[in-house]
Amino acid sequence: MIERRFEQIIFASRWLLAPFYLGLVVSLVLLLAKFTQEIFHIVPHVLEMQEKDVLLAVLTLIDLSLAGNLLLMVIFSGYENFVSKIDVADHKDRPDWMGKVDFGGLKLKLIASIVAISGIHLLKAFMNMDNISKENLMWMVVVHMTFVLSGVLLALMDRLEGSHHGAHGTAAAAAKSDHH
């Protein structure tokens, strides 16, 4: 009786994460505000801007949209993996990946998004090389390569863990079928 109640309390504690995801939704609104600010800053001056400056501005917009995608992915997947299923299965606009990204998949998608965002920052730095010190540029490359290496190692560990669990899962399933 006590154990069952204790487990119910622990299970219900997952709802303590819900405000975190709501806070991330607010963060998404903040990104939208910044994106809108950038658009309103760029559009009136686009005809007088140099091509390089337009490309840098567009890369900033891409960067913000990637950050928004990352946030949305964390909100949906995190909420569904740790709090509750989002009951919109019959909605025509429901993303195909929703409900299919487990914690391991979320980690890989996160690191891939971080690498993409870092890559865009690096590209912006290369395009604006006249205004960036060689030392800062070197550190940006080092940080980017660290993200890339981390992503590769994370994917490798996930693959090794999956093949390890796959072998155990197959053996456990065989043992279970022998019992029945």
Side-chain angles (χ1 to χ4, degrees):
M1 173 73 167
I2 292 173
E3 180 182 3
R4 186 167 192 266
R5 184 68 184 141
F6 183 71
E7 290 170 354
Q8 287 173 335
I9 291 169
I10 288 174
F11 185 67
S13 72
R14 73 192 191 283
W15 284 100
L16 294 173
L17 284 172
F20 288 84
Y21 294 109
L22 194 55
L24 290 177
V25 171
V26 171
S27 298
L28 194 57
V29 172
L30 297 177
L31 272 178
L32 174 62
K34 192 62 181 171
F35 186 91
T36 305
Q37 179 188 28
E38 288 293 321
I39 288 281
F40 283 125
H41 176 75
I42 296 165
V43 170
H45 304 288
V46 73
L47 295 178
E48 56 204 53
M49 293 171 74
Q50 292 183 2
E51 182 180 343
K52 180 179 94 171
D53 295 329
V54 173
L55 287 173
L56 287 170
V58 169
L59 286 173
T60 298
L61 296 175
I62 292 170
D63 192 27
L64 288 168
S65 87
L66 282 174
N69 292 339
L70 175 63
L71 262 174
L72 198 62
M73 202 174 2
V74 170
I75 293 166
F76 283 6
S77 298
Y79 185 86
E80 282 210 332
N81 281 311
F82 300 112
V83 180
S84 181
K85 297 293 178 208
I86 298 175
D87 190 21
V88 292
D90 57 342
H91 196 283
K92 66 180 176 125
D93 291 331
R94 184 176 194 263
D96 290 337
W97 58 265
M98 204 171 139
K100 297 176 186 166
V101 179
D102 62 359
F103 186 64
L106 180 59
K107 287 186 302 187
L108 292 176
K109 289 184 182 305
L110 279 171
I111 193 69
S113 295
I114 290 168
V115 167
I117 290 168
S118 173
I120 287 176
H121 278 275
L122 194 56
L123 180 59
K124 284 170 60 176
F126 281 130
M127 290 181 67
N128 200 18
M129 209 182 287
D130 299 338
N131 301 325
I132 295 177
S133 73
K134 302 294 181 217
E135 185 179 349
N136 282 348
L137 193 58
M138 180 206 57
W139 280 112
M140 289 179 79
V141 170
V142 168
V143 168
H144 179 71
M145 292 312 297
T146 302
F147 288 146
V148 170
L149 182 62
S150 296
V152 169
L153 291 175
L154 188 60
L156 182 61
M157 287 187 306
D158 236 32
R159 175 168 277 181
L160 290 173
E161 183 180 311
S163 67
H164 177 71
H165 282 307
H168 281 283
T170 306
K176 193 174 187 179
S177 68
D178 288 345
H179 265 314
H180 293 290

